[in-house]
Every structure is written in C-alpha cells, then in structure tokens.
Amino acid sequence: RLLPDLAARAEVLLAPGQGGSGPDRDVLLVAALSALMQGQPARAADFLAVIVPDPARLRAEPNLLDPASLLVHALREAGREAEADRMDAALMAAIGPWLAQAGDHADSRFVRAMVALHEGDNDTSVDLLEAAYERGFRRRWLMRHDVRLAPLHGHPRFEALYARIGEDQAAAR
C-alpha cells in the first residue's frame, strides 16, 4: 500500500505550486529514482524539476545539489541536452564553493567521487569512495542502485568496496 500511496502523492506534487516541503522533496526524489530505474528518464526529470525548478537556487541551497545532479543525469538520458547543460553548469558552479567549505568527511568525499565520475575519471571516483568509506560511508544500497554510479559497476575496486561494506553490515547485525 505504501508504494501506490507514494506514487499517488508524487503525481499530486507535479501540479504547479504543490511540491516544496522536505517530505514532499523526499517523495519526489523516490519517485524520480524509481522512474530512472525503470528506464523513464523524462518522467524522472519531471519529478526532479519540481525539486529544482531554477538552477540559480543551487548556490544558496546546497540541499538541492544532489537532486540537481540526478536531474542532469535524467535530462541527458531523456535527450534534453540543452536543459542538461544549463543545469550542469549551475551545478558545477555551486559544488565548488560547497566543497571548499565542506570539510573532510564521508559525505564530502562521496560528493567529490561523484564529481570525478561526472568528469569521466572512474579510478579517482573509486579512490574517493574508498576515502569516504574510511570516514564512515556505508550506503551500500546507493552504490548498487544510484544510476549515476552505474559506470563503476564491474570496476574491481568498486565491487570490492561494495563487498566490504556488505561484510561490515553483516558483522554489525
């Protein structure tokens, strides 16, 4: 029952002026991830555009960086290159200042890994994911299901890190 309710709420949030609160953003984000995993990037972009309606907001609202990154991915997958380029430029301009003040912790290393991956540097991305692991990163589900990390699937060190996190989680049970 939860999934149909979530899907229904996501549909409501697509209407102008409906999405905006933290819980609404979570619903839209889950709906977008589901659409991406189902091969529906245009649908994902619709959900994500409600969360990030204006690229100019990225500098002032760092909590929009992750949905904006997913939006760039969805737009590219949907063949909407001009929109993707505009969002991507704003995203890269906002990430630099955020990283400069973010410190050195698991989340900042993960973001750096995503930037390296975005730039096509898979080995550096895995290096940074390993550094994120050393600082407490344990989001195994994300490693397997975040579509932005798909280029790393099959990379030996990525797969070893994925297995190591699984072992850590099993040992903690």
Short mmCIF file of all heavy atoms in Angstrom, two decimals, residues 43-103:
data_model
loop_
_atom_site.label_atom_id
_atom_site.label_comp_id
_atom_site.label_asym_id
_atom_site.label_seq_id
_atom_site.Cartn_x
_atom_site.Cartn_y
_atom_site.Cartn_z
N ARG A 43 10.31 11.11 -17.28
CA ARG A 43 9.42 11.14 -16.11
C ARG A 43 10.21 11.54 -14.87
O ARG A 43 9.75 12.34 -14.06
CB ARG A 43 8.81 9.75 -15.93
CG ARG A 43 7.77 9.71 -14.90
CD ARG A 43 6.47 10.18 -15.52
NE ARG A 43 5.40 9.94 -14.58
CZ ARG A 43 4.56 10.88 -14.21
NH1 ARG A 43 4.63 12.09 -14.71
NH2 ARG A 43 3.62 10.62 -13.35
N ALA A 44 11.40 10.98 -14.72
CA ALA A 44 12.26 11.34 -13.59
C ALA A 44 12.58 12.83 -13.63
O ALA A 44 12.55 13.51 -12.59
CB ALA A 44 13.54 10.52 -13.63
N ALA A 45 12.88 13.35 -14.81
CA ALA A 45 13.20 14.78 -14.93
C ALA A 45 12.01 15.63 -14.51
O ALA A 45 12.19 16.68 -13.88
CB ALA A 45 13.62 15.10 -16.36
N ASP A 46 10.80 15.20 -14.83
CA ASP A 46 9.61 15.95 -14.41
C ASP A 46 9.54 16.05 -12.89
O ASP A 46 9.28 17.12 -12.34
CB ASP A 46 8.33 15.28 -14.93
CG ASP A 46 8.18 15.37 -16.44
OD1 ASP A 46 8.86 16.21 -17.07
OD2 ASP A 46 7.38 14.58 -16.99
N PHE A 47 9.76 14.92 -12.20
CA PHE A 47 9.72 14.94 -10.74
C PHE A 47 10.83 15.81 -10.17
O PHE A 47 10.62 16.60 -9.25
CB PHE A 47 9.84 13.52 -10.18
CG PHE A 47 8.64 12.65 -10.41
CD1 PHE A 47 8.77 11.43 -11.06
CD2 PHE A 47 7.38 13.02 -9.97
CE1 PHE A 47 7.67 10.61 -11.28
CE2 PHE A 47 6.27 12.22 -10.18
CZ PHE A 47 6.41 11.01 -10.84
N LEU A 48 12.03 15.67 -10.70
CA LEU A 48 13.19 16.40 -10.18
C LEU A 48 13.09 17.90 -10.45
O LEU A 48 13.56 18.71 -9.65
CB LEU A 48 14.48 15.82 -10.76
CG LEU A 48 14.79 14.40 -10.27
CD1 LEU A 48 15.80 13.74 -11.18
CD2 LEU A 48 15.26 14.42 -8.83
N ALA A 49 12.47 18.27 -11.56
CA ALA A 49 12.32 19.69 -11.88
C ALA A 49 11.41 20.41 -10.88
O ALA A 49 11.51 21.63 -10.71
CB ALA A 49 11.79 19.86 -13.30
N VAL A 50 10.55 19.66 -10.20
CA VAL A 50 9.73 20.26 -9.14
C VAL A 50 10.62 20.60 -7.94
O VAL A 50 10.46 21.64 -7.30
CB VAL A 50 8.57 19.33 -8.72
CG1 VAL A 50 7.80 19.91 -7.54
CG2 VAL A 50 7.64 19.09 -9.90
N ILE A 51 11.59 19.74 -7.66
CA ILE A 51 12.51 19.98 -6.54
C ILE A 51 13.48 21.11 -6.88
O ILE A 51 13.78 21.95 -6.05
CB ILE A 51 13.31 18.69 -6.21
CG1 ILE A 51 12.38 17.56 -5.83
CG2 ILE A 51 14.31 18.97 -5.08
CD1 ILE A 51 13.08 16.20 -5.68
N VAL A 52 13.99 21.11 -8.11
CA VAL A 52 14.99 22.08 -8.56
C VAL A 52 14.42 22.84 -9.76
O VAL A 52 14.82 22.58 -10.90
CB VAL A 52 16.32 21.39 -8.95
CG1 VAL A 52 17.40 22.43 -9.17
CG2 VAL A 52 16.75 20.39 -7.90
N PRO A 53 13.51 23.77 -9.53
CA PRO A 53 12.89 24.46 -10.66
C PRO A 53 13.79 25.51 -11.31
O PRO A 53 13.57 25.88 -12.47
CB PRO A 53 11.66 25.12 -10.04
CG PRO A 53 12.02 25.32 -8.60
CD PRO A 53 12.92 24.17 -8.26
N ASP A 54 14.80 25.97 -10.58
CA ASP A 54 15.63 27.06 -11.08
C ASP A 54 17.09 26.80 -10.71
O ASP A 54 17.43 26.74 -9.53
CB ASP A 54 15.17 28.38 -10.47
CG ASP A 54 15.98 29.57 -10.92
OD1 ASP A 54 16.81 29.44 -11.85
OD2 ASP A 54 15.77 30.65 -10.34
N PRO A 55 17.96 26.63 -11.72
CA PRO A 55 19.37 26.37 -11.41
C PRO A 55 20.03 27.46 -10.56
O PRO A 55 20.97 27.18 -9.83
CB PRO A 55 20.03 26.30 -12.79
CG PRO A 55 18.94 26.12 -13.77
CD PRO A 55 17.69 26.65 -13.14
N ALA A 56 19.52 28.66 -10.61
CA ALA A 56 20.10 29.77 -9.84
C ALA A 56 19.98 29.52 -8.34
O ALA A 56 20.73 30.13 -7.56
CB ALA A 56 19.43 31.09 -10.22
N ARG A 57 19.10 28.66 -7.91
CA ARG A 57 18.91 28.40 -6.48
C ARG A 57 20.00 27.50 -5.89
O ARG A 57 20.12 27.40 -4.66
CB ARG A 57 17.55 27.75 -6.24
CG ARG A 57 16.39 28.70 -6.50
CD ARG A 57 15.05 28.06 -6.36
NE ARG A 57 14.87 27.33 -5.11
CZ ARG A 57 13.83 26.56 -4.84
NH1 ARG A 57 12.86 26.43 -5.72
NH2 ARG A 57 13.74 25.92 -3.70
N LEU A 58 20.80 26.86 -6.74
CA LEU A 58 21.75 25.87 -6.25
C LEU A 58 22.80 26.45 -5.31
O LEU A 58 23.17 25.82 -4.32
CB LEU A 58 22.43 25.14 -7.41
CG LEU A 58 21.49 24.32 -8.29
CD1 LEU A 58 22.27 23.68 -9.43
CD2 LEU A 58 20.76 23.28 -7.48
N ARG A 59 23.33 27.61 -5.61
CA ARG A 59 24.36 28.21 -4.74
C ARG A 59 23.84 28.50 -3.34
O ARG A 59 24.55 28.31 -2.36
CB ARG A 59 24.92 29.49 -5.36
CG ARG A 59 25.93 29.24 -6.43
CD ARG A 59 26.60 30.56 -6.81
NE ARG A 59 27.48 30.37 -7.91
CZ ARG A 59 28.80 30.31 -7.80
NH1 ARG A 59 29.37 30.46 -6.63
NH2 ARG A 59 29.55 30.14 -8.86
N ALA A 60 22.61 28.95 -3.27
CA ALA A 60 22.04 29.33 -1.97
C ALA A 60 21.43 28.15 -1.21
O ALA A 60 21.23 28.24 -0.01
CB ALA A 60 20.98 30.41 -2.17
N GLU A 61 21.16 27.05 -1.91
CA GLU A 61 20.50 25.91 -1.29
C GLU A 61 21.27 24.62 -1.59
O GLU A 61 20.91 23.86 -2.48
CB GLU A 61 19.06 25.79 -1.80
CG GLU A 61 18.20 26.98 -1.44
CD GLU A 61 16.77 26.84 -1.96
OE1 GLU A 61 16.11 25.84 -1.56
OE2 GLU A 61 16.34 27.68 -2.73
N PRO A 62 22.32 24.35 -0.82
CA PRO A 62 23.14 23.15 -1.08
C PRO A 62 22.36 21.84 -1.01
O PRO A 62 22.77 20.85 -1.60
CB PRO A 62 24.23 23.20 -0.01
CG PRO A 62 24.14 24.52 0.62
CD PRO A 62 22.84 25.15 0.26
N ASN A 63 21.23 21.84 -0.31
CA ASN A 63 20.43 20.61 -0.23
C ASN A 63 19.82 20.25 -1.59
O ASN A 63 19.31 19.15 -1.77
CB ASN A 63 19.33 20.74 0.82
CG ASN A 63 18.35 21.86 0.51
OD1 ASN A 63 18.75 22.94 0.06
ND2 ASN A 63 17.09 21.63 0.75
N LEU A 64 19.93 21.16 -2.56
CA LEU A 64 19.42 20.88 -3.91
C LEU A 64 20.49 20.28 -4.83
O LEU A 64 20.17 19.89 -5.95
CB LEU A 64 18.88 22.17 -4.54
CG LEU A 64 17.68 22.82 -3.86
CD1 LEU A 64 17.28 24.08 -4.61
CD2 LEU A 64 16.51 21.85 -3.75
N LEU A 65 21.74 20.21 -4.36
CA LEU A 65 22.82 19.73 -5.23
C LEU A 65 22.60 18.29 -5.68
O LEU A 65 22.79 17.97 -6.86
CB LEU A 65 24.17 19.89 -4.54
CG LEU A 65 24.61 21.34 -4.26
CD1 LEU A 65 25.91 21.34 -3.46
CD2 LEU A 65 24.74 22.14 -5.54
N ASP A 66 22.22 17.41 -4.78
CA ASP A 66 22.03 16.01 -5.16
C ASP A 66 20.86 15.85 -6.12
O ASP A 66 21.02 15.21 -7.17
CB ASP A 66 21.87 15.13 -3.92
CG ASP A 66 21.92 13.66 -4.27
OD1 ASP A 66 22.87 13.23 -4.95
OD2 ASP A 66 21.00 12.93 -3.87
N PRO A 67 19.68 16.42 -5.83
CA PRO A 67 18.61 16.31 -6.83
C PRO A 67 18.97 16.96 -8.16
O PRO A 67 18.58 16.47 -9.22
CB PRO A 67 17.41 17.01 -6.18
CG PRO A 67 17.75 17.23 -4.77
CD PRO A 67 19.22 17.05 -4.60
N ALA A 68 19.76 18.04 -8.12
CA ALA A 68 20.18 18.68 -9.37
C ALA A 68 21.09 17.75 -10.17
O ALA A 68 20.99 17.67 -11.41
CB ALA A 68 20.88 20.00 -9.09
N SER A 69 21.96 17.03 -9.48
CA SER A 69 22.83 16.07 -10.16
C SER A 69 22.01 14.96 -10.82
O SER A 69 22.27 14.57 -11.96
CB SER A 69 23.82 15.48 -9.15
OG SER A 69 24.57 14.45 -9.73
N LEU A 70 21.02 14.47 -10.11
CA LEU A 70 20.12 13.46 -10.69
C LEU A 70 19.34 14.04 -11.87
O LEU A 70 19.11 13.36 -12.88
CB LEU A 70 19.15 12.94 -9.65
CG LEU A 70 19.70 11.90 -8.69
CD1 LEU A 70 18.76 11.70 -7.51
CD2 LEU A 70 19.94 10.59 -9.42
N LEU A 71 18.95 15.31 -11.76
CA LEU A 71 18.23 15.97 -12.84
C LEU A 71 19.09 16.06 -14.10
O LEU A 71 18.62 15.79 -15.20
CB LEU A 71 17.73 17.35 -12.40
CG LEU A 71 16.96 18.17 -13.44
CD1 LEU A 71 15.78 17.39 -14.01
CD2 LEU A 71 16.51 19.49 -12.82
N VAL A 72 20.37 16.42 -13.93
CA VAL A 72 21.28 16.46 -15.09
C VAL A 72 21.32 15.08 -15.75
O VAL A 72 21.21 14.97 -16.98
CB VAL A 72 22.69 16.92 -14.67
CG1 VAL A 72 23.70 16.70 -15.79
CG2 VAL A 72 22.67 18.39 -14.24
N HIS A 73 21.47 14.05 -14.94
CA HIS A 73 21.51 12.69 -15.48
C HIS A 73 20.22 12.36 -16.23
O HIS A 73 20.26 11.85 -17.36
CB HIS A 73 21.76 11.68 -14.35
CG HIS A 73 21.75 10.27 -14.81
ND1 HIS A 73 22.87 9.66 -15.32
CD2 HIS A 73 20.74 9.37 -14.89
CE1 HIS A 73 22.56 8.42 -15.68
NE2 HIS A 73 21.27 8.22 -15.41
N ALA A 74 19.08 12.64 -15.61
CA ALA A 74 17.79 12.32 -16.23
C ALA A 74 17.59 13.10 -17.53
O ALA A 74 17.12 12.54 -18.53
CB ALA A 74 16.65 12.63 -15.25
N LEU A 75 17.94 14.37 -17.52
CA LEU A 75 17.79 15.18 -18.73
C LEU A 75 18.66 14.64 -19.86
O LEU A 75 18.21 14.56 -21.02
CB LEU A 75 18.14 16.64 -18.44
CG LEU A 75 17.14 17.40 -17.56
CD1 LEU A 75 17.73 18.73 -17.11
CD2 LEU A 75 15.80 17.60 -18.29
N ARG A 76 19.90 14.26 -19.55
CA ARG A 76 20.77 13.70 -20.59
C ARG A 76 20.20 12.39 -21.12
O ARG A 76 20.19 12.15 -22.32
CB ARG A 76 22.18 13.49 -20.05
CG ARG A 76 22.91 14.78 -19.81
CD ARG A 76 24.41 14.66 -19.99
NE ARG A 76 25.08 15.83 -19.47
CZ ARG A 76 25.07 17.03 -20.04
NH1 ARG A 76 24.40 17.22 -21.16
NH2 ARG A 76 25.72 18.04 -19.50
N GLU A 77 19.73 11.54 -20.22
CA GLU A 77 19.16 10.26 -20.64
C GLU A 77 17.91 10.47 -21.50
O GLU A 77 17.62 9.66 -22.37
CB GLU A 77 18.82 9.40 -19.43
CG GLU A 77 20.02 8.85 -18.70
CD GLU A 77 20.74 7.78 -19.50
OE1 GLU A 77 20.07 6.87 -20.03
OE2 GLU A 77 21.97 7.86 -19.60
N ALA A 78 17.19 11.55 -21.23
CA ALA A 78 15.98 11.85 -21.99
C ALA A 78 16.28 12.59 -23.29
O ALA A 78 15.36 12.91 -24.05
CB ALA A 78 15.02 12.68 -21.12
N GLY A 79 17.56 12.88 -23.54
CA GLY A 79 17.94 13.58 -24.77
C GLY A 79 17.70 15.08 -24.73
O GLY A 79 17.69 15.72 -25.79
N ARG A 80 17.53 15.62 -23.56
CA ARG A 80 17.28 17.06 -23.41
C ARG A 80 18.59 17.76 -23.05
O ARG A 80 18.77 18.27 -21.94
CB ARG A 80 16.18 17.27 -22.37
CG ARG A 80 14.84 16.73 -22.87
CD ARG A 80 13.80 16.46 -21.81
NE ARG A 80 13.48 17.56 -20.93
CZ ARG A 80 12.62 17.45 -19.91
NH1 ARG A 80 11.99 16.30 -19.69
NH2 ARG A 80 12.38 18.48 -19.13
N GLU A 81 19.51 17.75 -24.00
CA GLU A 81 20.88 18.20 -23.78
C GLU A 81 21.00 19.66 -23.37
O GLU A 81 21.79 19.99 -22.49
CB GLU A 81 21.74 17.92 -25.01
CG GLU A 81 21.96 16.45 -25.28
CD GLU A 81 22.73 15.74 -24.19
OE1 GLU A 81 23.62 16.33 -23.56
OE2 GLU A 81 22.43 14.55 -23.95
N ALA A 82 20.26 20.55 -24.00
CA ALA A 82 20.38 21.98 -23.68
C ALA A 82 19.98 22.24 -22.23
O ALA A 82 20.67 22.97 -21.51
CB ALA A 82 19.53 22.82 -24.63
N GLU A 83 18.90 21.62 -21.78
CA GLU A 83 18.48 21.77 -20.39
C GLU A 83 19.51 21.15 -19.45
O GLU A 83 19.82 21.72 -18.39
CB GLU A 83 17.13 21.09 -20.16
CG GLU A 83 15.96 21.75 -20.83
CD GLU A 83 14.71 20.90 -20.66
OE1 GLU A 83 14.09 20.98 -19.58
OE2 GLU A 83 14.38 20.16 -21.60
N ALA A 84 20.03 19.99 -19.83
CA ALA A 84 21.04 19.32 -19.01
C ALA A 84 22.29 20.18 -18.90
O ALA A 84 22.85 20.32 -17.80
CB ALA A 84 21.38 17.96 -19.61
N ASP A 85 22.72 20.77 -20.00
CA ASP A 85 23.91 21.63 -19.98
C ASP A 85 23.73 22.83 -19.07
O ASP A 85 24.63 23.20 -18.32
CB ASP A 85 24.27 22.10 -21.39
CG ASP A 85 24.81 20.98 -22.27
OD1 ASP A 85 25.17 19.91 -21.75
OD2 ASP A 85 24.87 21.19 -23.51
N ARG A 86 22.54 23.43 -19.12
CA ARG A 86 22.27 24.61 -18.28
C ARG A 86 22.29 24.24 -16.80
O ARG A 86 22.91 24.91 -15.98
CB ARG A 86 20.91 25.21 -18.67
CG ARG A 86 20.59 26.54 -18.00
CD ARG A 86 19.35 27.16 -18.62
NE ARG A 86 18.14 26.46 -18.27
CZ ARG A 86 17.29 26.86 -17.32
NH1 ARG A 86 17.52 27.96 -16.66
NH2 ARG A 86 16.22 26.17 -17.05
N MET A 87 21.65 23.13 -16.46
CA MET A 87 21.63 22.69 -15.06
C MET A 87 23.02 22.24 -14.63
O MET A 87 23.46 22.52 -13.51
CB MET A 87 20.62 21.56 -14.88
CG MET A 87 20.46 21.08 -13.44
SD MET A 87 19.86 22.35 -12.28
CE MET A 87 18.17 22.54 -12.84
N ASP A 88 23.73 21.56 -15.53
CA ASP A 88 25.07 21.07 -15.21
C ASP A 88 26.03 22.22 -14.91
O ASP A 88 26.81 22.15 -13.97
CB ASP A 88 25.59 20.22 -16.37
CG ASP A 88 26.86 19.48 -16.03
OD1 ASP A 88 27.02 19.05 -14.87
OD2 ASP A 88 27.70 19.32 -16.93
N ALA A 89 25.97 23.28 -15.71
CA ALA A 89 26.84 24.43 -15.48
C ALA A 89 26.56 25.06 -14.11
O ALA A 89 27.50 25.38 -13.36
CB ALA A 89 26.65 25.46 -16.60
N ALA A 90 25.30 25.20 -13.77
CA ALA A 90 24.94 25.77 -12.46
C ALA A 90 25.36 24.82 -11.34
O ALA A 90 25.86 25.27 -10.29
CB ALA A 90 23.43 26.02 -12.40
N LEU A 91 25.20 23.54 -11.56
CA LEU A 91 25.59 22.54 -10.56
C LEU A 91 27.08 22.58 -10.29
O LEU A 91 27.52 22.65 -9.13
CB LEU A 91 25.17 21.15 -11.03
CG LEU A 91 25.53 19.96 -10.15
CD1 LEU A 91 24.85 20.07 -8.80
CD2 LEU A 91 25.14 18.67 -10.85
N MET A 92 27.89 22.57 -11.33
CA MET A 92 29.35 22.58 -11.15
C MET A 92 29.81 23.90 -10.51
O MET A 92 30.73 23.90 -9.69
CB MET A 92 30.05 22.35 -12.49
CG MET A 92 29.91 20.93 -13.03
SD MET A 92 30.59 19.67 -11.91
CE MET A 92 29.14 18.82 -11.38
N ALA A 93 29.15 25.00 -10.85
CA ALA A 93 29.49 26.29 -10.24
C ALA A 93 29.15 26.31 -8.75
O ALA A 93 29.83 26.95 -7.95
CB ALA A 93 28.76 27.42 -10.96
N ALA A 94 28.11 25.60 -8.35
CA ALA A 94 27.69 25.58 -6.94
C ALA A 94 28.46 24.56 -6.11
O ALA A 94 28.68 24.77 -4.91
CB ALA A 94 26.19 25.30 -6.86
N ILE A 95 28.88 23.47 -6.73
CA ILE A 95 29.55 22.41 -5.97
C ILE A 95 30.92 22.87 -5.48
O ILE A 95 31.30 22.56 -4.35
CB ILE A 95 29.67 21.11 -6.80
CG1 ILE A 95 28.31 20.42 -6.81
CG2 ILE A 95 30.73 20.19 -6.26
CD1 ILE A 95 28.27 19.15 -7.62
N GLY A 96 31.66 23.61 -6.30
CA GLY A 96 32.99 24.05 -5.90
C GLY A 96 33.00 24.80 -4.58
O GLY A 96 33.72 24.42 -3.65
N PRO A 97 32.20 25.85 -4.45
CA PRO A 97 32.15 26.57 -3.16
C PRO A 97 31.68 25.70 -2.00
O PRO A 97 32.17 25.83 -0.89
CB PRO A 97 31.16 27.71 -3.43
CG PRO A 97 31.22 27.92 -4.90
CD PRO A 97 31.46 26.56 -5.50
N TRP A 98 30.72 24.80 -2.26
CA TRP A 98 30.27 23.91 -1.20
C TRP A 98 31.40 23.02 -0.73
O TRP A 98 31.64 22.87 0.47
CB TRP A 98 29.07 23.07 -1.66
CG TRP A 98 28.55 22.21 -0.56
CD1 TRP A 98 27.68 22.57 0.42
CD2 TRP A 98 28.93 20.85 -0.28
NE1 TRP A 98 27.47 21.51 1.28
CE2 TRP A 98 28.22 20.44 0.88
CE3 TRP A 98 29.78 19.93 -0.88
CZ2 TRP A 98 28.34 19.17 1.43
CZ3 TRP A 98 29.90 18.65 -0.33
CH2 TRP A 98 29.18 18.29 0.81
N LEU A 99 32.13 22.42 -1.67
CA LEU A 99 33.24 21.54 -1.31
C LEU A 99 34.35 22.30 -0.59
O LEU A 99 35.00 21.75 0.31
CB LEU A 99 33.81 20.84 -2.55
CG LEU A 99 32.95 19.70 -3.09
CD1 LEU A 99 33.51 19.20 -4.41
CD2 LEU A 99 32.83 18.56 -2.09
N ALA A 100 34.57 23.55 -0.95
CA ALA A 100 35.63 24.35 -0.33
C ALA A 100 35.39 24.55 1.16
O ALA A 100 36.34 24.65 1.94
CB ALA A 100 35.75 25.70 -1.03
N GLN A 101 34.14 24.56 1.57
CA GLN A 101 33.84 24.76 3.00
C GLN A 101 33.34 23.50 3.68
O GLN A 101 33.08 23.51 4.87
CB GLN A 101 32.83 25.91 3.16
CG GLN A 101 31.48 25.70 2.49
CD GLN A 101 30.53 24.77 3.22
OE1 GLN A 101 30.46 24.80 4.44
NE2 GLN A 101 29.83 23.93 2.50
N ALA A 102 33.20 22.41 2.95
CA ALA A 102 32.54 21.22 3.47
C ALA A 102 33.36 20.42 4.47
O ALA A 102 32.82 19.64 5.22
CB ALA A 102 32.12 20.31 2.32
N GLY A 103 34.67 20.59 4.47
CA GLY A 103 35.49 19.77 5.35
C GLY A 103 35.79 18.43 4.71
O GLY A 103 35.52 18.20 3.53
#
